[in-house]
Amino acid sequence: MLWVKSFHIVFIASWFAGLFYLPRIFVNLAMVPPESVAERERLLLMAHKLMRFTTLLAVPAVALGLWLWLGYGIGLGAGNGWMHAKLFVVALILGYHHACGVMLRRFQQGINRRGHVWYRWFNEAPVIMLVVVVLLVVIKPF
């Protein structure tokens, strides 16, 4: 079980690295002047490759988490309300990941409707979600 936990943590950390950096690329894309086609294309390529890699990391992160939850029974039973709260936040993280994919497709189609300040705030969401998950797992408040 410790091997599974270890790999789960490694994949989660790697997945979050992508979720931290991808919106930062969106900030830069929102700031690109219309005449800078080469810069826009380079940032779009970076974002596309990062999104693909981040998605590949999310799959084993979630699969190993499910293995720990269902296979080993971590968080099951009475007094494990923290796990329900954690799973809710994980669902929000998966939604955030999906939203990043939608935003990337809009940038690729040239139909971005938001400014760089909005993406700067959007970039803070995974930090908050990660802090909440870590606190729930370590402290297990309920």
Side-chain angles (χ1 to χ4, degrees):
M1 176 174 66
L2 293 178
W3 283 97
V4 178
K5 278 185 181 180
S6 299
F7 282 111
H8 175 64
I9 291 168
V10 167
F11 282 112
I12 289 293
S14 302
W15 178 28
F16 266 88
L19 290 179
F20 291 155
Y21 190 57
L22 187 60
R24 183 65 207 160
I25 295 174
F26 295 163
V27 170
N28 293 328
L29 273 166
M31 294 173 64
V32 172
E35 64 275 2
S36 295
V37 176
E39 181 181 5
R40 182 180 181 282
E41 292 302 316
R42 185 178 69 250
L43 288 169
L44 283 173
L45 179 63
M46 289 171 57
H48 175 75
K49 286 182 177 185
L50 183 59
M51 184 65 186
R52 185 176 59 209
F53 187 65
T54 301
T55 302
L56 288 174
L57 292 168
V59 171
V62 172
L64 290 170
L66 287 172
W67 185 359
L68 288 167
W69 180 44
L70 300 173
Y72 289 105
I74 293 177
L76 295 177
N80 287 304
W82 64 270
M83 180 57 91
H84 299 290
K86 176 194 170 193
L87 292 174
F88 175 75
V89 177
V90 169
L92 292 176
I93 295 165
L94 288 168
Y96 182 88
H97 184 115
H98 175 73
C100 285
V102 170
M103 289 175 201
L104 176 58
R105 282 190 292 282
R106 287 186 180 150
F107 272 115
Q108 290 169 330
Q109 296 167 353
I111 56 172
N112 173 48
R113 296 185 184 111
R114 296 188 167 107
H116 68 94
V117 174
W118 189 91
Y119 288 106
R120 287 179 196 277
W121 283 103
F122 181 75
N123 191 34
E124 301 305 321
V127 175
I128 295 165
M129 291 185 282
L130 179 61
V131 168
V132 170
V133 167
V134 169
L135 290 175
L136 287 169
V137 170
V138 173
I139 297 173
K140 296 178 176 63
F142 45 94

